[in-house]
């Protein structure tokens, strides 16, 4: 059996992380969570620094790539993420 990636997508604060943390053990899987605290552009972007929005989104994309590149899906392993891999336009 191949592994599976289940991605939870929704608005900020909608409960994706909580749901992923609950769902992963129910499926004998592992949660993979977005690293909001690690994004050095996020706070300034939310404070109105519009020039940092693109760098912030690119940081998230590269962070997701790095996280998922390290996941081994062999042996039927299930991973539940609190983000969609390519959720942004």
């Amino acid at each position: 059996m191949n592994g599976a990636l289940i991605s939870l997508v929704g608005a900020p604060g909608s409960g994706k992380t909580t749901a992923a943390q609950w769902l992963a053990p129910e499926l004998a899987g592992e949660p993979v969570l977005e690293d909001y605290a690690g994004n050095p552009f996020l706070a300034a972007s939310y404070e109105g620094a519009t020039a940092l929005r693109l760098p912030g989104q690119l940081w998230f994309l590269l962070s997701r790539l790095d996280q998922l590149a390290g996941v081994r899906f062999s042996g039927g392993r299930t991973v539940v993420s609190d983000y969609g891999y390519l959720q942004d336009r």
Side-chain angles (χ1 to χ4, degrees), residues 1-79:
M1 178 177 167
N2 291 330
L5 171 62
I6 299 170
S7 298
L8 305 177
V9 179
S14 62
K16 298 177 302 293
T17 300
T18 301
Q21 290 172 323
W22 172 83
L23 185 59
E26 293 293 319
L27 299 174
E30 167 189 353
V32 175
L33 308 176
E34 188 86 86
D35 182 14
Y36 286 101
N39 189 327
F41 307 103
L42 194 59
S45 175
Y46 279 142
E47 291 172 1
T50 58
L52 296 180
R53 289 181 184 163
L54 179 58
Q57 290 298 75
L58 291 173
W59 189 94
F60 277 133
L61 177 62
L62 294 174
S63 172
R64 294 169 188 158
L65 281 170
D66 187 51
Q67 283 183 321
L68 295 176
V71 172
R72 300 287 182 250
F73 291 100
S74 60
R77 184 171 180 194
T78 299
V79 173

